[in-house]
Amino acid sequence: MKKLRFLHTSDWHLGQNFMGKSRIEEHEAFLSWLLNTINENNIDVLLVSGDIFDTGTPPNYALELYYNFLKQLSQVNSLNTTIITAGNHDSVSTLKAPKQLLEALNVHVVVNGDKDENIIIPIKDSEIEEGKTKAIVCAVPFLRDSVIRQSLGGETVSDKEKLANDGIKTYYENAYKKAKELDHTSTKSTPIIAMGHLTTVGGRTSESERDIYIGGTLDIGGDYLASMFDYVALGHLHINQRVGNEHVRYSGSPIPLSFSESKNTQKVNLVTINNSADENVKVEELEVPLTKKLQVIKGDLETIKKGLKAIEDKTTWIEVRIKDDNPMFANTEIRELASKLELIILAVKIEKSEKQLRAKELKAISLDELSVQEVFEKRLDLEEIENSEFKEQLSQTFNEVVSNLHESEQI
């Protein structure tokens, strides 16, 4: 039997609107690169571990990207199977709608992993008649609360964090047992690969991931998963990383999804399963070419000005974090300089100086991420107005003024 080659990716977030900017060009470039990489490396199986789309109602162009890519995959000679699992951002109904049609293209989509859905997918050797099973994939999607409860036989636990831990562990253990039952090989055990979409103990996070279970991080680590599976293809965390074990990995997102990821190197994992007992599973990280650069510049006014002048690529998306005693003046100066230099600033965050923090502790404020009403409400809070009725009246009057301005702009 020849070597079996998997490609593990996740967290595409197709259709993301990033501070008013579309990511379509970046996603087009990534999917084109991914298709070439699958061809060049003779990949047998593609694993996509959740968060295909950024929202449950992706824009039409994102759906078109997705379906066009799957159509092109069907023309790759080496590719045996594609397995796609839903993430917490994905809509079950959106992914489920074409499920039966995609199976004709050897694309298996697993949306919620409930009792009516088969998550155990054998990978057959297409070169042998009545193909021999070369590997078994336990395609575990993001496990919603209803499915976790099913895995515990409907038992109710008051502590929801413990329920999530116990339910997810039970689910993986049951999946492993089913995979072993399917493995009838007498001479050598068939490799069992698991997929998952969750936060594990020891995983490094960024600012763009949501907590998806009550209590945040689950008490599930890489060693626990590695005790059952030969490789675990995880999604949800956007940084490519190992989790406590060489064969338990996140692939990370193919493009940086927030400014907190601007210094990351985006990757996918190439997993080779050999016949050799010495090195049964080998993992190689493949770097995804960067299409759009994100850059964070921090400091006082003069530091930021120098940083802006040093930027050569005018297409770079920039976040500025001002730490200055006169941040409003600095903000105006920075935006005027950026306009003159033809640079693209997407966000300006004001970080309070130590002097200001001692006076009153405040979180950093992003002016670009707040609505006009939210800015007014935050400013109103600083006044510490004791008369609640007067404060409410001020808010109502301000909202009426904003509403009238919007109406006049539409005339």
Short mmCIF file of all heavy atoms in Angstrom, two decimals, residues 188-244:
data_model
loop_
_atom_site.label_atom_id
_atom_site.label_comp_id
_atom_site.label_asym_id
_atom_site.label_seq_id
_atom_site.Cartn_x
_atom_site.Cartn_y
_atom_site.Cartn_z
N LYS A 188 -2.55 -5.59 11.03
CA LYS A 188 -2.12 -4.28 11.50
C LYS A 188 -3.32 -3.36 11.63
O LYS A 188 -4.19 -3.35 10.76
CB LYS A 188 -1.10 -3.69 10.52
CG LYS A 188 -0.53 -2.35 10.98
CD LYS A 188 0.46 -1.83 9.96
CE LYS A 188 0.98 -0.46 10.39
NZ LYS A 188 1.92 0.10 9.40
N SER A 189 -3.38 -2.61 12.71
CA SER A 189 -4.51 -1.70 12.93
C SER A 189 -4.52 -0.61 11.87
O SER A 189 -3.49 -0.07 11.47
CB SER A 189 -4.40 -1.06 14.31
OG SER A 189 -4.54 -2.04 15.31
N THR A 190 -5.72 -0.28 11.42
CA THR A 190 -5.89 0.80 10.45
C THR A 190 -5.76 2.14 11.18
O THR A 190 -6.34 2.31 12.25
CB THR A 190 -7.27 0.70 9.79
OG1 THR A 190 -7.39 -0.57 9.16
CG2 THR A 190 -7.48 1.80 8.77
N PRO A 191 -5.01 3.10 10.62
CA PRO A 191 -4.89 4.42 11.26
C PRO A 191 -6.26 5.08 11.43
O PRO A 191 -7.09 5.02 10.52
CB PRO A 191 -4.01 5.21 10.29
CG PRO A 191 -3.28 4.17 9.50
CD PRO A 191 -4.21 3.02 9.39
N ILE A 192 -6.47 5.67 12.60
CA ILE A 192 -7.73 6.37 12.88
C ILE A 192 -7.44 7.85 13.08
O ILE A 192 -6.65 8.23 13.96
CB ILE A 192 -8.44 5.78 14.11
CG1 ILE A 192 -8.75 4.30 13.89
CG2 ILE A 192 -9.73 6.55 14.41
CD1 ILE A 192 -9.37 3.61 15.09
N ILE A 193 -8.06 8.67 12.24
CA ILE A 193 -7.88 10.12 12.26
C ILE A 193 -9.14 10.76 12.84
O ILE A 193 -10.25 10.35 12.49
CB ILE A 193 -7.65 10.68 10.84
CG1 ILE A 193 -6.61 9.85 10.08
CG2 ILE A 193 -7.28 12.15 10.88
CD1 ILE A 193 -5.25 9.83 10.67
N ALA A 194 -8.98 11.73 13.72
CA ALA A 194 -10.14 12.45 14.25
C ALA A 194 -10.10 13.90 13.79
O ALA A 194 -9.02 14.46 13.53
CB ALA A 194 -10.15 12.40 15.78
N MET A 195 -11.30 14.48 13.65
CA MET A 195 -11.42 15.91 13.39
C MET A 195 -12.14 16.53 14.58
O MET A 195 -12.85 15.84 15.32
CB MET A 195 -12.20 16.16 12.09
CG MET A 195 -11.54 15.57 10.86
SD MET A 195 -12.57 15.65 9.38
CE MET A 195 -12.50 17.41 8.99
N GLY A 196 -11.99 17.83 14.77
CA GLY A 196 -12.67 18.48 15.89
C GLY A 196 -12.67 19.98 15.72
O GLY A 196 -11.85 20.54 14.99
N HIS A 197 -13.62 20.63 16.40
CA HIS A 197 -13.69 22.10 16.37
C HIS A 197 -13.99 22.57 17.80
O HIS A 197 -15.14 22.61 18.23
CB HIS A 197 -14.79 22.56 15.40
CG HIS A 197 -14.70 24.01 15.06
ND1 HIS A 197 -13.96 24.49 14.00
CD2 HIS A 197 -15.23 25.10 15.66
CE1 HIS A 197 -14.05 25.80 13.95
NE2 HIS A 197 -14.83 26.20 14.95
N LEU A 198 -12.93 22.89 18.53
CA LEU A 198 -13.06 23.25 19.94
C LEU A 198 -11.76 23.87 20.43
O LEU A 198 -10.75 23.87 19.72
CB LEU A 198 -13.39 22.01 20.78
CG LEU A 198 -12.29 20.94 20.96
CD1 LEU A 198 -12.64 20.02 22.13
CD2 LEU A 198 -12.10 20.11 19.71
N THR A 199 -11.80 24.41 21.65
CA THR A 199 -10.60 24.96 22.29
C THR A 199 -10.05 23.92 23.24
O THR A 199 -10.80 23.39 24.07
CB THR A 199 -10.94 26.24 23.07
OG1 THR A 199 -11.61 27.16 22.22
CG2 THR A 199 -9.68 26.89 23.61
N THR A 200 -8.78 23.62 23.13
CA THR A 200 -8.16 22.61 23.99
C THR A 200 -7.24 23.26 25.02
O THR A 200 -6.80 24.40 24.85
CB THR A 200 -7.33 21.62 23.15
OG1 THR A 200 -6.41 22.37 22.33
CG2 THR A 200 -8.21 20.76 22.28
N VAL A 201 -6.95 22.52 26.08
CA VAL A 201 -6.04 23.01 27.10
C VAL A 201 -4.65 23.20 26.49
O VAL A 201 -4.12 22.31 25.83
CB VAL A 201 -5.96 22.01 28.28
CG1 VAL A 201 -4.87 22.43 29.26
CG2 VAL A 201 -7.30 21.93 28.98
N GLY A 202 -4.08 24.37 26.69
CA GLY A 202 -2.74 24.65 26.17
C GLY A 202 -2.72 25.28 24.80
O GLY A 202 -1.66 25.67 24.31
N GLY A 203 -3.88 25.40 24.15
CA GLY A 203 -3.93 26.01 22.83
C GLY A 203 -3.77 27.53 22.90
O GLY A 203 -4.34 28.17 23.77
N ARG A 204 -2.97 28.08 22.00
CA ARG A 204 -2.76 29.54 21.96
C ARG A 204 -3.86 30.19 21.13
O ARG A 204 -4.10 29.81 19.99
CB ARG A 204 -1.38 29.86 21.35
CG ARG A 204 -0.22 29.48 22.25
CD ARG A 204 1.12 29.77 21.59
NE ARG A 204 1.35 28.89 20.46
CZ ARG A 204 1.74 29.29 19.25
NH1 ARG A 204 1.92 30.57 19.00
NH2 ARG A 204 1.95 28.40 18.30
N THR A 205 -4.49 31.20 21.71
CA THR A 205 -5.62 31.87 21.07
C THR A 205 -5.22 33.23 20.53
O THR A 205 -4.14 33.74 20.83
CB THR A 205 -6.79 32.03 22.05
OG1 THR A 205 -6.38 32.89 23.12
CG2 THR A 205 -7.22 30.70 22.63
N SER A 206 -6.11 33.84 19.74
CA SER A 206 -5.95 35.23 19.29
C SER A 206 -7.26 35.95 19.58
O SER A 206 -8.20 35.38 20.14
CB SER A 206 -5.61 35.28 17.80
OG SER A 206 -6.63 34.67 17.03
N GLU A 207 -7.35 37.22 19.19
CA GLU A 207 -8.52 38.02 19.55
C GLU A 207 -9.75 37.70 18.71
O GLU A 207 -10.85 38.14 19.03
CB GLU A 207 -8.19 39.52 19.40
CG GLU A 207 -7.18 40.03 20.43
CD GLU A 207 -6.81 41.48 20.20
OE1 GLU A 207 -7.39 42.09 19.27
OE2 GLU A 207 -5.97 42.00 20.94
N SER A 208 -9.59 36.94 17.63
CA SER A 208 -10.69 36.76 16.68
C SER A 208 -11.52 35.51 16.92
O SER A 208 -12.46 35.25 16.19
CB SER A 208 -10.14 36.76 15.24
OG SER A 208 -9.15 35.75 15.11
N GLU A 209 -11.18 34.70 17.94
CA GLU A 209 -11.99 33.52 18.22
C GLU A 209 -13.00 33.81 19.32
O GLU A 209 -12.74 34.58 20.23
CB GLU A 209 -11.11 32.33 18.68
CG GLU A 209 -10.07 31.91 17.67
CD GLU A 209 -8.66 32.14 18.15
OE1 GLU A 209 -8.47 32.70 19.25
OE2 GLU A 209 -7.73 31.81 17.39
N ARG A 210 -14.15 33.18 19.21
CA ARG A 210 -15.18 33.29 20.24
C ARG A 210 -15.06 32.13 21.22
O ARG A 210 -14.67 31.03 20.85
CB ARG A 210 -16.59 33.21 19.62
CG ARG A 210 -16.91 34.24 18.57
CD ARG A 210 -18.28 33.91 17.99
NE ARG A 210 -18.62 34.75 16.85
CZ ARG A 210 -19.61 34.50 16.02
NH1 ARG A 210 -20.35 33.42 16.20
NH2 ARG A 210 -19.88 35.30 15.01
N ASP A 211 -15.45 32.39 22.49
CA ASP A 211 -15.65 31.27 23.41
C ASP A 211 -16.89 30.52 22.95
O ASP A 211 -17.94 31.12 22.74
CB ASP A 211 -15.85 31.77 24.85
CG ASP A 211 -14.55 32.21 25.49
OD1 ASP A 211 -13.49 31.80 24.99
OD2 ASP A 211 -14.59 32.97 26.48
N ILE A 212 -16.77 29.21 22.79
CA ILE A 212 -17.90 28.47 22.22
C ILE A 212 -18.57 27.53 23.21
O ILE A 212 -19.59 26.95 22.91
CB ILE A 212 -17.48 27.69 20.95
CG1 ILE A 212 -16.25 26.81 21.22
CG2 ILE A 212 -17.21 28.63 19.81
CD1 ILE A 212 -15.80 26.00 20.02
N TYR A 213 -17.98 27.38 24.41
CA TYR A 213 -18.63 26.61 25.46
C TYR A 213 -18.59 27.40 26.75
O TYR A 213 -17.66 28.18 26.98
CB TYR A 213 -17.94 25.26 25.67
CG TYR A 213 -18.10 24.31 24.51
CD1 TYR A 213 -17.03 24.00 23.68
CD2 TYR A 213 -19.34 23.73 24.23
CE1 TYR A 213 -17.18 23.14 22.61
CE2 TYR A 213 -19.50 22.87 23.15
CZ TYR A 213 -18.42 22.58 22.35
OH TYR A 213 -18.58 21.74 21.28
N ILE A 214 -19.57 27.21 27.58
CA ILE A 214 -19.63 27.91 28.86
C ILE A 214 -18.41 27.54 29.69
O ILE A 214 -18.06 26.37 29.83
CB ILE A 214 -20.93 27.57 29.61
CG1 ILE A 214 -22.11 28.20 28.87
CG2 ILE A 214 -20.88 28.01 31.06
CD1 ILE A 214 -23.45 27.97 29.48
N GLY A 215 -17.74 28.57 30.23
CA GLY A 215 -16.52 28.32 30.99
C GLY A 215 -15.27 28.52 30.17
O GLY A 215 -14.17 28.48 30.70
N GLY A 216 -15.44 28.76 28.85
CA GLY A 216 -14.27 29.03 28.00
C GLY A 216 -13.55 27.75 27.63
O GLY A 216 -14.12 26.86 27.02
N THR A 217 -12.28 27.62 28.03
CA THR A 217 -11.45 26.49 27.64
C THR A 217 -11.94 25.19 28.29
O THR A 217 -12.23 25.14 29.48
CB THR A 217 -9.99 26.73 28.05
OG1 THR A 217 -9.55 27.95 27.46
CG2 THR A 217 -9.10 25.59 27.58
N LEU A 218 -12.02 24.15 27.51
CA LEU A 218 -12.41 22.84 28.01
C LEU A 218 -11.23 22.13 28.65
O LEU A 218 -10.07 22.43 28.36
CB LEU A 218 -12.95 21.99 26.86
CG LEU A 218 -14.20 22.52 26.15
CD1 LEU A 218 -14.42 21.75 24.86
CD2 LEU A 218 -15.42 22.42 27.05
N ASP A 219 -11.54 21.19 29.52
CA ASP A 219 -10.48 20.40 30.15
C ASP A 219 -10.15 19.19 29.27
O ASP A 219 -10.21 18.04 29.70
CB ASP A 219 -10.95 19.96 31.53
CG ASP A 219 -9.85 19.24 32.30
OD1 ASP A 219 -8.67 19.44 31.96
OD2 ASP A 219 -10.17 18.46 33.21
N ILE A 220 -9.83 19.49 28.01
CA ILE A 220 -9.50 18.44 27.05
C ILE A 220 -8.17 18.81 26.41
O ILE A 220 -8.03 19.88 25.82
CB ILE A 220 -10.60 18.31 25.97
CG1 ILE A 220 -11.92 17.86 26.62
CG2 ILE A 220 -10.18 17.32 24.89
CD1 ILE A 220 -13.09 17.85 25.68
N GLY A 221 -7.19 17.94 26.56
CA GLY A 221 -5.85 18.25 26.08
C GLY A 221 -5.39 17.33 24.97
O GLY A 221 -6.07 16.35 24.61
N GLY A 222 -4.22 17.63 24.42
CA GLY A 222 -3.68 16.87 23.31
C GLY A 222 -3.35 15.43 23.68
O GLY A 222 -3.56 14.51 22.88
N ASP A 223 -2.85 15.21 24.90
CA ASP A 223 -2.47 13.85 25.30
C ASP A 223 -3.70 12.95 25.38
O ASP A 223 -3.63 11.76 25.03
CB ASP A 223 -1.75 13.88 26.65
CG ASP A 223 -0.37 14.48 26.54
OD1 ASP A 223 0.16 14.54 25.42
OD2 ASP A 223 0.19 14.91 27.57
N TYR A 224 -4.83 13.50 25.83
CA TYR A 224 -6.06 12.72 25.92
C TYR A 224 -6.50 12.27 24.53
O TYR A 224 -6.81 11.10 24.31
CB TYR A 224 -7.17 13.55 26.58
CG TYR A 224 -8.55 12.95 26.43
CD1 TYR A 224 -8.93 11.87 27.20
CD2 TYR A 224 -9.44 13.46 25.49
CE1 TYR A 224 -10.19 11.30 27.05
CE2 TYR A 224 -10.70 12.90 25.33
CZ TYR A 224 -11.08 11.82 26.11
OH TYR A 224 -12.31 11.26 25.94
N LEU A 225 -6.50 13.19 23.58
CA LEU A 225 -6.91 12.85 22.22
C LEU A 225 -5.90 11.91 21.55
O LEU A 225 -6.28 10.99 20.83
CB LEU A 225 -7.08 14.13 21.39
CG LEU A 225 -8.22 15.05 21.84
CD1 LEU A 225 -8.13 16.41 21.15
CD2 LEU A 225 -9.58 14.42 21.56
N ALA A 226 -4.62 12.14 21.82
CA ALA A 226 -3.57 11.30 21.22
C ALA A 226 -3.60 9.87 21.75
O ALA A 226 -3.08 8.95 21.11
CB ALA A 226 -2.20 11.92 21.47
N SER A 227 -4.19 9.65 22.93
CA SER A 227 -4.27 8.30 23.48
C SER A 227 -5.17 7.39 22.65
O SER A 227 -5.10 6.17 22.76
CB SER A 227 -4.78 8.36 24.93
OG SER A 227 -6.14 8.77 24.97
N MET A 228 -6.02 8.01 21.81
CA MET A 228 -6.92 7.22 20.96
C MET A 228 -6.55 7.29 19.48
O MET A 228 -6.53 6.27 18.79
CB MET A 228 -8.37 7.71 21.14
CG MET A 228 -8.95 7.47 22.51
SD MET A 228 -10.63 8.13 22.68
CE MET A 228 -10.28 9.88 22.95
N PHE A 229 -6.23 8.49 19.00
CA PHE A 229 -6.15 8.71 17.56
C PHE A 229 -4.72 8.87 17.07
O PHE A 229 -3.85 9.37 17.78
CB PHE A 229 -6.98 9.95 17.18
CG PHE A 229 -8.42 9.86 17.62
CD1 PHE A 229 -8.87 10.57 18.73
CD2 PHE A 229 -9.31 9.04 16.95
CE1 PHE A 229 -10.19 10.49 19.15
CE2 PHE A 229 -10.64 8.95 17.35
CZ PHE A 229 -11.08 9.67 18.46
N ASP A 230 -4.50 8.47 15.81
CA ASP A 230 -3.17 8.58 15.21
C ASP A 230 -2.86 10.02 14.77
O ASP A 230 -1.71 10.42 14.71
CB ASP A 230 -3.07 7.64 14.00
CG ASP A 230 -3.17 6.19 14.41
OD1 ASP A 230 -2.14 5.63 14.84
OD2 ASP A 230 -4.28 5.61 14.34
N TYR A 231 -3.90 10.76 14.44
CA TYR A 231 -3.75 12.20 14.15
C TYR A 231 -5.08 12.87 14.46
O TYR A 231 -6.15 12.28 14.23
CB TYR A 231 -3.37 12.44 12.68
CG TYR A 231 -3.18 13.92 12.36
CD1 TYR A 231 -1.99 14.57 12.67
CD2 TYR A 231 -4.20 14.66 11.76
CE1 TYR A 231 -1.82 15.93 12.40
CE2 TYR A 231 -4.03 16.02 11.48
CZ TYR A 231 -2.84 16.64 11.81
OH TYR A 231 -2.66 17.98 11.55
N VAL A 232 -5.01 14.10 15.00
CA VAL A 232 -6.23 14.86 15.31
C VAL A 232 -6.15 16.20 14.59
O VAL A 232 -5.25 17.00 14.84
CB VAL A 232 -6.40 15.07 16.83
CG1 VAL A 232 -7.72 15.79 17.10
CG2 VAL A 232 -6.36 13.75 17.57
N ALA A 233 -7.09 16.40 13.64
CA ALA A 233 -7.12 17.61 12.81
C ALA A 233 -8.12 18.60 13.41
O ALA A 233 -9.32 18.48 13.22
CB ALA A 233 -7.54 17.24 11.38
N LEU A 234 -7.60 19.58 14.15
CA LEU A 234 -8.45 20.50 14.89
C LEU A 234 -8.67 21.82 14.16
O LEU A 234 -7.84 22.28 13.38
CB LEU A 234 -7.83 20.79 16.27
CG LEU A 234 -7.74 19.60 17.23
CD1 LEU A 234 -6.93 19.98 18.46
CD2 LEU A 234 -9.12 19.11 17.63
N GLY A 235 -9.82 22.42 14.46
CA GLY A 235 -10.15 23.76 13.99
C GLY A 235 -10.66 24.60 15.14
O GLY A 235 -10.90 24.10 16.23
N HIS A 236 -10.79 25.87 14.92
CA HIS A 236 -11.31 26.91 15.82
C HIS A 236 -10.23 27.90 16.22
O HIS A 236 -10.44 29.10 16.16
CB HIS A 236 -12.00 26.37 17.07
CG HIS A 236 -12.57 27.47 17.93
ND1 HIS A 236 -13.47 28.40 17.44
CD2 HIS A 236 -12.34 27.83 19.22
CE1 HIS A 236 -13.79 29.25 18.40
NE2 HIS A 236 -13.11 28.94 19.48
N LEU A 237 -9.06 27.45 16.67
CA LEU A 237 -7.98 28.38 16.99
C LEU A 237 -7.25 28.74 15.70
O LEU A 237 -6.99 27.88 14.86
CB LEU A 237 -7.01 27.77 18.01
CG LEU A 237 -7.63 27.40 19.36
CD1 LEU A 237 -6.53 26.99 20.35
CD2 LEU A 237 -8.47 28.53 19.94
N HIS A 238 -6.90 30.01 15.55
CA HIS A 238 -6.42 30.52 14.26
C HIS A 238 -4.90 30.48 14.11
O HIS A 238 -4.37 30.94 13.10
CB HIS A 238 -6.93 31.95 14.06
CG HIS A 238 -8.43 32.04 13.99
ND1 HIS A 238 -9.12 33.22 14.16
CD2 HIS A 238 -9.36 31.08 13.78
CE1 HIS A 238 -10.42 32.98 14.05
NE2 HIS A 238 -10.59 31.69 13.82
N ILE A 239 -4.21 29.96 15.12
CA ILE A 239 -2.75 29.86 15.06
C ILE A 239 -2.37 28.40 14.80
O ILE A 239 -2.83 27.49 15.50
CB ILE A 239 -2.12 30.33 16.39
CG1 ILE A 239 -2.52 31.78 16.68
CG2 ILE A 239 -0.60 30.18 16.34
CD1 ILE A 239 -2.13 32.25 18.07
N ASN A 240 -1.54 28.15 13.79
CA ASN A 240 -1.05 26.80 13.51
C ASN A 240 -0.18 26.35 14.68
O ASN A 240 0.79 27.03 15.04
CB ASN A 240 -0.25 26.79 12.21
CG ASN A 240 0.22 25.40 11.83
OD1 ASN A 240 1.12 24.85 12.44
ND2 ASN A 240 -0.41 24.84 10.82
N GLN A 241 -0.51 25.20 15.28
CA GLN A 241 0.20 24.80 16.50
C GLN A 241 -0.04 23.33 16.83
O GLN A 241 -1.04 22.73 16.42
CB GLN A 241 -0.28 25.66 17.68
CG GLN A 241 -1.77 25.56 17.95
CD GLN A 241 -2.26 26.57 18.95
OE1 GLN A 241 -1.89 26.51 20.13
NE2 GLN A 241 -3.08 27.52 18.51
N ARG A 242 0.90 22.78 17.60
CA ARG A 242 0.72 21.47 18.22
C ARG A 242 0.09 21.68 19.59
O ARG A 242 0.30 22.70 20.23
CB ARG A 242 2.07 20.77 18.40
CG ARG A 242 2.80 20.49 17.11
CD ARG A 242 4.03 19.62 17.36
NE ARG A 242 4.96 20.26 18.27
CZ ARG A 242 5.93 21.09 17.90
NH1 ARG A 242 6.09 21.38 16.61
NH2 ARG A 242 6.73 21.63 18.78
N VAL A 243 -0.65 20.68 20.06
CA VAL A 243 -1.27 20.77 21.38
C VAL A 243 -0.83 19.58 22.22
O VAL A 243 -1.45 18.52 22.22
CB VAL A 243 -2.81 20.81 21.29
CG1 VAL A 243 -3.40 21.04 22.68
CG2 VAL A 243 -3.28 21.90 20.35
N GLY A 244 0.28 19.74 22.91
CA GLY A 244 0.75 18.72 23.84
C GLY A 244 1.26 17.45 23.21
O GLY A 244 1.82 16.59 23.89
#
